[in-house]
Each structure stands twice: as structure tokens, then as C-alpha cells.
mmCIF file of all heavy atoms in Angstrom:
data_model
loop_
_atom_site.group_PDB
_atom_site.id
_atom_site.type_symbol
_atom_site.label_atom_id
_atom_site.label_comp_id
_atom_site.label_asym_id
_atom_site.label_seq_id
_atom_site.Cartn_x
_atom_site.Cartn_y
_atom_site.Cartn_z
ATOM 1 N N LEU E 274 -13.663 -5.265 2.056
ATOM 2 C CA LEU E 274 -12.605 -6.157 1.594
ATOM 3 C C LEU E 274 -11.723 -6.583 2.758
ATOM 4 O O LEU E 274 -11.458 -5.803 3.654
ATOM 5 C CB LEU E 274 -11.735 -5.454 0.545
ATOM 6 C CG LEU E 274 -12.448 -4.938 -0.705
ATOM 7 C CD1 LEU E 274 -11.507 -4.085 -1.554
ATOM 8 C CD2 LEU E 274 -13.000 -6.098 -1.520
ATOM 9 N N THR E 275 -11.269 -7.827 2.709
ATOM 10 C CA THR E 275 -10.319 -8.327 3.689
ATOM 11 C C THR E 275 -8.922 -8.081 3.131
ATOM 12 O O THR E 275 -8.677 -8.321 1.946
ATOM 13 C CB THR E 275 -10.528 -9.838 3.922
ATOM 14 O OG1 THR E 275 -11.873 -10.038 4.348
ATOM 15 C CG2 THR E 275 -9.579 -10.376 4.963
ATOM 16 N N GLN E 276 -8.011 -7.598 3.976
ATOM 17 C CA GLN E 276 -6.683 -7.232 3.500
ATOM 18 C C GLN E 276 -6.014 -8.399 2.775
ATOM 19 O O GLN E 276 -5.970 -9.513 3.274
ATOM 20 C CB GLN E 276 -5.807 -6.762 4.656
ATOM 21 C CG GLN E 276 -4.534 -6.118 4.175
ATOM 22 C CD GLN E 276 -3.802 -5.372 5.278
ATOM 23 O OE1 GLN E 276 -4.218 -5.369 6.413
ATOM 24 N NE2 GLN E 276 -2.695 -4.763 4.921
ATOM 25 N N HIS E 277 -5.533 -8.130 1.582
ATOM 26 C CA HIS E 277 -4.776 -9.027 0.714
ATOM 27 C C HIS E 277 -5.599 -10.167 0.110
ATOM 28 O O HIS E 277 -5.045 -11.019 -0.559
ATOM 29 C CB HIS E 277 -3.540 -9.580 1.420
ATOM 30 C CG HIS E 277 -2.588 -8.516 1.839
ATOM 31 N ND1 HIS E 277 -1.932 -7.696 0.947
ATOM 32 C CD2 HIS E 277 -2.181 -8.108 3.066
ATOM 33 C CE1 HIS E 277 -1.168 -6.861 1.594
ATOM 34 N NE2 HIS E 277 -1.299 -7.066 2.885
ATOM 35 N N GLU E 278 -6.905 -10.248 0.332
ATOM 36 C CA GLU E 278 -7.743 -11.215 -0.371
ATOM 37 C C GLU E 278 -8.413 -10.499 -1.521
ATOM 38 O O GLU E 278 -8.888 -9.381 -1.378
ATOM 39 C CB GLU E 278 -8.789 -11.821 0.574
ATOM 40 C CG GLU E 278 -8.198 -12.763 1.592
ATOM 41 C CD GLU E 278 -9.263 -13.457 2.417
ATOM 42 O OE1 GLU E 278 -10.407 -13.600 1.946
ATOM 43 O OE2 GLU E 278 -8.954 -13.847 3.544
ATOM 44 N N SER E 279 -8.444 -11.142 -2.680
ATOM 45 C CA SER E 279 -8.940 -10.485 -3.881
ATOM 46 C C SER E 279 -10.412 -10.774 -4.131
ATOM 47 O O SER E 279 -10.884 -11.891 -3.930
ATOM 48 C CB SER E 279 -8.136 -10.945 -5.101
ATOM 49 O OG SER E 279 -6.813 -10.498 -4.991
ATOM 50 N N LEU E 280 -11.119 -9.743 -4.586
ATOM 51 C CA LEU E 280 -12.497 -9.870 -5.047
ATOM 52 C C LEU E 280 -12.466 -9.681 -6.562
ATOM 53 O O LEU E 280 -12.261 -8.561 -7.044
ATOM 54 C CB LEU E 280 -13.390 -8.801 -4.392
ATOM 55 C CG LEU E 280 -14.825 -8.707 -4.888
ATOM 56 C CD1 LEU E 280 -15.590 -9.986 -4.578
ATOM 57 C CD2 LEU E 280 -15.507 -7.508 -4.249
ATOM 58 N N PRO E 281 -12.604 -10.772 -7.330
ATOM 59 C CA PRO E 281 -12.546 -10.650 -8.787
ATOM 60 C C PRO E 281 -13.733 -9.838 -9.324
ATOM 61 O O PRO E 281 -14.866 -10.029 -8.903
ATOM 62 C CB PRO E 281 -12.623 -12.090 -9.284
ATOM 63 C CG PRO E 281 -12.373 -12.946 -8.090
ATOM 64 C CD PRO E 281 -12.774 -12.149 -6.890
ATOM 65 N N ILE E 282 -13.452 -8.930 -10.251
ATOM 66 C CA ILE E 282 -14.489 -8.135 -10.909
ATOM 67 C C ILE E 282 -14.662 -8.639 -12.337
ATOM 68 O O ILE E 282 -15.738 -9.077 -12.715
ATOM 69 C CB ILE E 282 -14.124 -6.626 -10.897
ATOM 70 C CG1 ILE E 282 -13.898 -6.138 -9.469
ATOM 71 C CG2 ILE E 282 -15.187 -5.802 -11.608
ATOM 72 C CD1 ILE E 282 -15.102 -6.277 -8.550
ATOM 73 N N ILE E 283 -13.611 -8.542 -13.131
ATOM 74 C CA ILE E 283 -13.548 -9.117 -14.475
ATOM 75 C C ILE E 283 -12.132 -9.645 -14.655
ATOM 76 O O ILE E 283 -11.253 -9.352 -13.841
ATOM 77 C CB ILE E 283 -13.878 -8.078 -15.580
ATOM 78 C CG1 ILE E 283 -12.913 -6.886 -15.516
ATOM 79 C CG2 ILE E 283 -15.319 -7.618 -15.499
ATOM 80 C CD1 ILE E 283 -13.029 -5.915 -16.667
ATOM 81 N N SER E 284 -11.912 -10.388 -15.718
ATOM 82 C CA SER E 284 -10.564 -10.884 -15.981
ATOM 83 C C SER E 284 -9.622 -9.696 -16.131
ATOM 84 O O SER E 284 -9.840 -8.815 -16.958
ATOM 85 C CB SER E 284 -10.555 -11.728 -17.252
ATOM 86 O OG SER E 284 -9.247 -12.184 -17.507
ATOM 87 N N GLY E 285 -8.600 -9.659 -15.292
ATOM 88 C CA GLY E 285 -7.640 -8.564 -15.332
ATOM 89 C C GLY E 285 -7.910 -7.473 -14.325
ATOM 90 O O GLY E 285 -7.150 -6.509 -14.246
ATOM 91 N N LEU E 286 -8.976 -7.598 -13.534
ATOM 92 C CA LEU E 286 -9.303 -6.571 -12.543
ATOM 93 C C LEU E 286 -9.883 -7.211 -11.291
ATOM 94 O O LEU E 286 -10.946 -7.840 -11.334
ATOM 95 C CB LEU E 286 -10.299 -5.556 -13.108
ATOM 96 C CG LEU E 286 -10.776 -4.474 -12.144
ATOM 97 C CD1 LEU E 286 -9.617 -3.570 -11.728
ATOM 98 C CD2 LEU E 286 -11.883 -3.649 -12.777
ATOM 99 N N ASP E 287 -9.174 -7.065 -10.198
ATOM 100 C CA ASP E 287 -9.645 -7.502 -8.882
ATOM 101 C C ASP E 287 -9.649 -6.300 -7.947
ATOM 102 O O ASP E 287 -9.002 -5.288 -8.209
ATOM 103 C CB ASP E 287 -8.701 -8.559 -8.277
ATOM 104 C CG ASP E 287 -8.733 -9.885 -8.999
ATOM 105 O OD1 ASP E 287 -9.591 -10.076 -9.886
ATOM 106 O OD2 ASP E 287 -7.870 -10.734 -8.683
ATOM 107 N N LEU E 288 -10.353 -6.445 -6.858
ATOM 108 C CA LEU E 288 -10.278 -5.475 -5.765
ATOM 109 C C LEU E 288 -9.554 -6.159 -4.625
ATOM 110 O O LEU E 288 -9.975 -7.219 -4.158
ATOM 111 C CB LEU E 288 -11.674 -5.010 -5.349
ATOM 112 C CG LEU E 288 -12.487 -4.313 -6.438
ATOM 113 C CD1 LEU E 288 -13.846 -3.889 -5.905
ATOM 114 C CD2 LEU E 288 -11.754 -3.115 -7.003
ATOM 115 N N THR E 289 -8.445 -5.572 -4.193
ATOM 116 C CA THR E 289 -7.586 -6.161 -3.169
ATOM 117 C C THR E 289 -7.154 -5.051 -2.214
ATOM 118 O O THR E 289 -6.471 -4.119 -2.623
ATOM 119 C CB THR E 289 -6.336 -6.799 -3.813
ATOM 120 O OG1 THR E 289 -6.747 -7.717 -4.817
ATOM 121 C CG2 THR E 289 -5.483 -7.498 -2.779
ATOM 122 N N LEU E 290 -7.538 -5.138 -0.958
ATOM 123 C CA LEU E 290 -7.212 -4.101 0.021
ATOM 124 C C LEU E 290 -5.760 -4.209 0.468
ATOM 125 O O LEU E 290 -5.308 -5.265 0.908
ATOM 126 C CB LEU E 290 -8.132 -4.218 1.240
ATOM 127 C CG LEU E 290 -7.901 -3.209 2.366
ATOM 128 C CD1 LEU E 290 -8.203 -1.790 1.881
ATOM 129 C CD2 LEU E 290 -8.779 -3.560 3.566
ATOM 130 N N THR E 291 -5.029 -3.098 0.323
ATOM 131 C CA THR E 291 -3.664 -3.000 0.838
ATOM 132 C C THR E 291 -3.485 -1.609 1.444
ATOM 133 O O THR E 291 -4.267 -0.696 1.175
ATOM 134 C CB THR E 291 -2.601 -3.210 -0.267
ATOM 135 O OG1 THR E 291 -2.719 -2.170 -1.227
ATOM 136 C CG2 THR E 291 -2.741 -4.550 -0.940
ATOM 137 N N PHE E 292 -2.459 -1.473 2.259
ATOM 138 C CA PHE E 292 -2.106 -0.187 2.849
ATOM 139 C C PHE E 292 -0.664 0.126 2.468
ATOM 140 O O PHE E 292 0.254 -0.580 2.879
ATOM 141 C CB PHE E 292 -2.273 -0.210 4.374
ATOM 142 C CG PHE E 292 -3.695 -0.363 4.796
ATOM 143 C CD1 PHE E 292 -4.260 -1.623 4.949
ATOM 144 C CD2 PHE E 292 -4.489 0.756 5.021
ATOM 145 C CE1 PHE E 292 -5.589 -1.765 5.321
ATOM 146 C CE2 PHE E 292 -5.821 0.613 5.394
ATOM 147 C CZ PHE E 292 -6.371 -0.647 5.544
ATOM 148 N N ASN E 293 -0.480 1.159 1.674
ATOM 149 C CA ASN E 293 0.832 1.540 1.156
ATOM 150 C C ASN E 293 1.483 2.552 2.095
ATOM 151 O O ASN E 293 0.991 3.659 2.255
ATOM 152 C CB ASN E 293 0.666 2.123 -0.249
ATOM 153 C CG ASN E 293 1.953 2.636 -0.832
ATOM 154 O OD1 ASN E 293 3.023 2.485 -0.258
ATOM 155 N ND2 ASN E 293 1.849 3.265 -1.989
ATOM 156 N N ARG E 294 2.618 2.182 2.690
ATOM 157 C CA ARG E 294 3.335 3.067 3.605
ATOM 158 C C ARG E 294 4.427 3.876 2.909
ATOM 159 O O ARG E 294 5.079 4.704 3.513
ATOM 160 C CB ARG E 294 3.941 2.257 4.750
ATOM 161 C CG ARG E 294 2.886 1.681 5.666
ATOM 162 C CD ARG E 294 3.493 0.832 6.772
ATOM 163 N NE ARG E 294 4.502 1.498 7.569
ATOM 164 C CZ ARG E 294 4.263 2.293 8.616
ATOM 165 N NH1 ARG E 294 3.017 2.532 8.975
ATOM 166 N NH2 ARG E 294 5.262 2.818 9.296
ATOM 167 N N GLY E 295 4.628 3.624 1.616
ATOM 168 C CA GLY E 295 5.672 4.321 0.875
ATOM 169 C C GLY E 295 5.083 5.348 -0.082
ATOM 170 O O GLY E 295 4.030 5.923 0.164
ATOM 171 N N LEU E 296 5.795 5.547 -1.177
ATOM 172 C CA LEU E 296 5.328 6.429 -2.236
ATOM 173 C C LEU E 296 4.512 5.612 -3.227
ATOM 174 O O LEU E 296 4.116 4.492 -2.920
ATOM 175 C CB LEU E 296 6.535 7.088 -2.919
ATOM 176 C CG LEU E 296 7.417 7.966 -2.028
ATOM 177 C CD1 LEU E 296 8.649 8.431 -2.794
ATOM 178 C CD2 LEU E 296 6.645 9.161 -1.510
ATOM 179 N N SER E 297 4.307 6.137 -4.398
ATOM 180 C CA SER E 297 3.570 5.406 -5.432
ATOM 181 C C SER E 297 4.145 4.008 -5.607
ATOM 182 O O SER E 297 5.363 3.833 -5.647
ATOM 183 C CB SER E 297 3.659 6.152 -6.758
ATOM 184 O OG SER E 297 3.075 7.425 -6.649
ATOM 185 N N TRP E 298 3.260 3.034 -5.726
ATOM 186 C CA TRP E 298 3.626 1.638 -5.933
ATOM 187 C C TRP E 298 4.505 1.084 -4.822
ATOM 188 O O TRP E 298 5.342 0.217 -5.043
ATOM 189 C CB TRP E 298 4.286 1.443 -7.299
ATOM 190 C CG TRP E 298 3.486 2.000 -8.410
ATOM 191 C CD1 TRP E 298 2.162 1.765 -8.678
ATOM 192 C CD2 TRP E 298 3.916 2.932 -9.395
ATOM 193 N NE1 TRP E 298 1.758 2.487 -9.766
ATOM 194 C CE2 TRP E 298 2.814 3.206 -10.232
ATOM 195 C CE3 TRP E 298 5.125 3.550 -9.659
ATOM 196 C CZ2 TRP E 298 2.900 4.069 -11.299
ATOM 197 C CZ3 TRP E 298 5.204 4.411 -10.733
ATOM 198 C CH2 TRP E 298 4.098 4.659 -11.536
ATOM 199 N N SER E 299 4.358 1.621 -3.628
ATOM 200 C CA SER E 299 5.090 1.180 -2.436
ATOM 201 C C SER E 299 6.593 1.414 -2.509
ATOM 202 O O SER E 299 7.360 0.818 -1.755
ATOM 203 C CB SER E 299 4.806 -0.293 -2.130
ATOM 204 O OG SER E 299 3.451 -0.463 -1.794
ATOM 205 N N ILE E 300 7.025 2.299 -3.402
ATOM 206 C CA ILE E 300 8.441 2.662 -3.458
ATOM 207 C C ILE E 300 8.805 3.335 -2.132
ATOM 208 O O ILE E 300 8.053 4.136 -1.602
ATOM 209 C CB ILE E 300 8.709 3.611 -4.638
ATOM 210 C CG1 ILE E 300 8.419 2.900 -5.957
ATOM 211 C CG2 ILE E 300 10.137 4.145 -4.611
ATOM 212 C CD1 ILE E 300 8.428 3.821 -7.163
ATOM 213 N N LEU E 301 9.957 3.023 -1.593
ATOM 214 C CA LEU E 301 10.460 3.564 -0.325
ATOM 215 C C LEU E 301 9.549 3.216 0.857
ATOM 216 O O LEU E 301 9.388 3.988 1.783
ATOM 217 C CB LEU E 301 10.654 5.083 -0.410
ATOM 218 C CG LEU E 301 11.621 5.586 -1.472
ATOM 219 C CD1 LEU E 301 11.652 7.112 -1.480
ATOM 220 C CD2 LEU E 301 13.018 5.031 -1.252
ATOM 221 N N SER E 302 8.976 2.041 0.821
ATOM 222 C CA SER E 302 8.109 1.591 1.905
ATOM 223 C C SER E 302 8.923 0.789 2.919
ATOM 224 O O SER E 302 9.579 -0.196 2.570
ATOM 225 C CB SER E 302 6.983 0.721 1.342
ATOM 226 O OG SER E 302 6.122 0.310 2.369
ATOM 227 N N PHE E 303 8.895 1.241 4.172
ATOM 228 C CA PHE E 303 9.604 0.571 5.254
ATOM 229 C C PHE E 303 8.673 0.474 6.455
ATOM 230 O O PHE E 303 7.713 1.220 6.576
ATOM 231 C CB PHE E 303 10.867 1.348 5.642
ATOM 232 C CG PHE E 303 11.874 1.453 4.527
ATOM 233 C CD1 PHE E 303 11.946 2.593 3.748
ATOM 234 C CD2 PHE E 303 12.741 0.409 4.266
ATOM 235 C CE1 PHE E 303 12.865 2.698 2.716
ATOM 236 C CE2 PHE E 303 13.668 0.506 3.238
ATOM 237 C CZ PHE E 303 13.738 1.644 2.465
ATOM 238 N N ASP E 304 8.981 -0.426 7.372
ATOM 239 C CA ASP E 304 8.174 -0.598 8.577
ATOM 240 C C ASP E 304 8.473 0.444 9.649
ATOM 241 O O ASP E 304 7.704 0.603 10.589
ATOM 242 C CB ASP E 304 8.383 -1.995 9.172
ATOM 243 C CG ASP E 304 7.746 -3.075 8.309
ATOM 244 O OD1 ASP E 304 6.774 -2.771 7.600
ATOM 245 O OD2 ASP E 304 8.230 -4.221 8.347
ATOM 246 N N SER E 305 9.560 1.165 9.508
ATOM 247 C CA SER E 305 9.993 2.131 10.518
ATOM 248 C C SER E 305 8.965 3.253 10.696
ATOM 249 O O SER E 305 8.587 3.928 9.745
ATOM 250 C CB SER E 305 11.334 2.752 10.106
ATOM 251 O OG SER E 305 11.621 3.893 10.886
ATOM 252 N N THR E 306 8.518 3.448 11.939
ATOM 253 C CA THR E 306 7.576 4.516 12.245
ATOM 254 C C THR E 306 8.214 5.885 12.029
ATOM 255 O O THR E 306 7.569 6.801 11.517
ATOM 256 C CB THR E 306 7.087 4.388 13.700
ATOM 257 O OG1 THR E 306 6.506 3.089 13.866
ATOM 258 C CG2 THR E 306 6.058 5.435 14.042
ATOM 259 N N THR E 307 9.474 6.010 12.402
ATOM 260 C CA THR E 307 10.179 7.282 12.208
ATOM 261 C C THR E 307 10.263 7.625 10.723
ATOM 262 O O THR E 307 9.964 8.748 10.313
ATOM 263 C CB THR E 307 11.590 7.212 12.816
ATOM 264 O OG1 THR E 307 11.475 6.899 14.203
ATOM 265 C CG2 THR E 307 12.338 8.522 12.640
ATOM 266 N N TYR E 308 10.704 6.661 9.924
ATOM 267 C CA TYR E 308 10.816 6.882 8.489
ATOM 268 C C TYR E 308 9.447 7.233 7.894
ATOM 269 O O TYR E 308 9.336 8.141 7.071
ATOM 270 C CB TYR E 308 11.401 5.651 7.803
ATOM 271 C CG TYR E 308 11.506 5.822 6.313
ATOM 272 C CD1 TYR E 308 12.540 6.563 5.750
ATOM 273 C CD2 TYR E 308 10.551 5.272 5.467
ATOM 274 C CE1 TYR E 308 12.630 6.750 4.389
ATOM 275 C CE2 TYR E 308 10.630 5.455 4.100
ATOM 276 C CZ TYR E 308 11.672 6.189 3.569
ATOM 277 O OH TYR E 308 11.738 6.375 2.218
ATOM 278 N N PHE E 309 8.411 6.518 8.309
ATOM 279 C CA PHE E 309 7.058 6.792 7.817
ATOM 280 C C PHE E 309 6.639 8.217 8.169
ATOM 281 O O PHE E 309 6.070 8.931 7.336
ATOM 282 C CB PHE E 309 6.064 5.786 8.410
ATOM 283 C CG PHE E 309 4.641 6.034 8.003
ATOM 284 C CD1 PHE E 309 4.194 5.682 6.738
ATOM 285 C CD2 PHE E 309 3.756 6.636 8.883
ATOM 286 C CE1 PHE E 309 2.879 5.920 6.361
ATOM 287 C CE2 PHE E 309 2.442 6.874 8.508
ATOM 288 C CZ PHE E 309 2.005 6.515 7.244
ATOM 289 N N GLY E 310 6.934 8.667 9.381
ATOM 290 C CA GLY E 310 6.587 10.025 9.798
ATOM 291 C C GLY E 310 7.328 11.082 8.993
ATOM 292 O O GLY E 310 6.746 12.083 8.572
ATOM 293 N N VAL E 311 8.622 10.844 8.754
ATOM 294 C CA VAL E 311 9.418 11.787 7.960
ATOM 295 C C VAL E 311 8.901 11.825 6.523
ATOM 296 O O VAL E 311 8.732 12.905 5.940
ATOM 297 C CB VAL E 311 10.921 11.409 8.006
ATOM 298 C CG1 VAL E 311 11.721 12.195 6.985
ATOM 299 C CG2 VAL E 311 11.470 11.619 9.415
ATOM 300 N N LEU E 312 8.638 10.667 5.952
ATOM 301 C CA LEU E 312 8.118 10.600 4.586
ATOM 302 C C LEU E 312 6.762 11.284 4.481
ATOM 303 O O LEU E 312 6.500 12.045 3.539
ATOM 304 C CB LEU E 312 8.017 9.148 4.121
ATOM 305 C CG LEU E 312 7.573 8.928 2.675
ATOM 306 C CD1 LEU E 312 8.535 9.583 1.696
ATOM 307 C CD2 LEU E 312 7.449 7.440 2.381
ATOM 308 N N THR E 313 5.901 11.073 5.463
ATOM 309 C CA THR E 313 4.579 11.700 5.470
ATOM 310 C C THR E 313 4.697 13.222 5.572
ATOM 311 O O THR E 313 3.991 13.949 4.864
ATOM 312 C CB THR E 313 3.723 11.131 6.620
ATOM 313 O OG1 THR E 313 3.558 9.722 6.406
ATOM 314 C CG2 THR E 313 2.362 11.786 6.690
ATOM 315 N N ALA E 314 5.601 13.705 6.429
ATOM 316 C CA ALA E 314 5.815 15.155 6.540
ATOM 317 C C ALA E 314 6.341 15.723 5.225
ATOM 318 O O ALA E 314 5.909 16.794 4.777
ATOM 319 C CB ALA E 314 6.785 15.461 7.682
ATOM 320 N N PHE E 315 7.263 15.014 4.596
ATOM 321 C CA PHE E 315 7.807 15.439 3.305
ATOM 322 C C PHE E 315 6.698 15.511 2.256
ATOM 323 O O PHE E 315 6.607 16.480 1.501
ATOM 324 C CB PHE E 315 8.919 14.480 2.862
ATOM 325 C CG PHE E 315 9.485 14.804 1.514
ATOM 326 C CD1 PHE E 315 10.327 15.892 1.328
ATOM 327 C CD2 PHE E 315 9.174 14.005 0.418
ATOM 328 C CE1 PHE E 315 10.843 16.191 0.079
ATOM 329 C CE2 PHE E 315 9.692 14.296 -0.835
ATOM 330 C CZ PHE E 315 10.521 15.391 -1.007
#
């Protein structure tokens, strides 16, 4: 998969490559490397 391009499977379901740097559903996702490291350690 190419990042952020969707591959349709059926109506209501696609495959879309993303990388989540936060918690579930990208909650608390920031670009900061320090924050990412602290969150990952936690």
C-alpha cells in the first residue's frame, strides 16, 4: 500500500496505510521526537 492512498475492498472497507505516532486513534499524536520517545517508553 502507498501511504494515505486507499485500496477499496468492499463498500465501507478500504485498506489505507498510515503510521500512528500517538495512542489509539492517533490521540496525543505529535511530531515531537522527544514526546514520541516518552510516550513510547510509557
Side-chain angles (χ1 to χ4, degrees):
L274 302 172
T275 302
Q276 192 167 2
H277 299 296
E278 289 186 25
S279 294
L280 174 64
I282 303 300
I283 58 172
S284 179
L286 177 65
D287 291 352
L288 299 180
T289 306
L290 179 65
T291 63
F292 294 88
N293 176 6
R294 292 178 55 84
L296 299 174
S297 298
W298 308 308
S299 295
I300 296 170
L301 301 177
S302 182
F303 298 98
D304 289 333
S305 166
T306 303
T307 302
Y308 179 79
F309 177 77
V311 169
L312 184 60
T313 299
F315 177 74

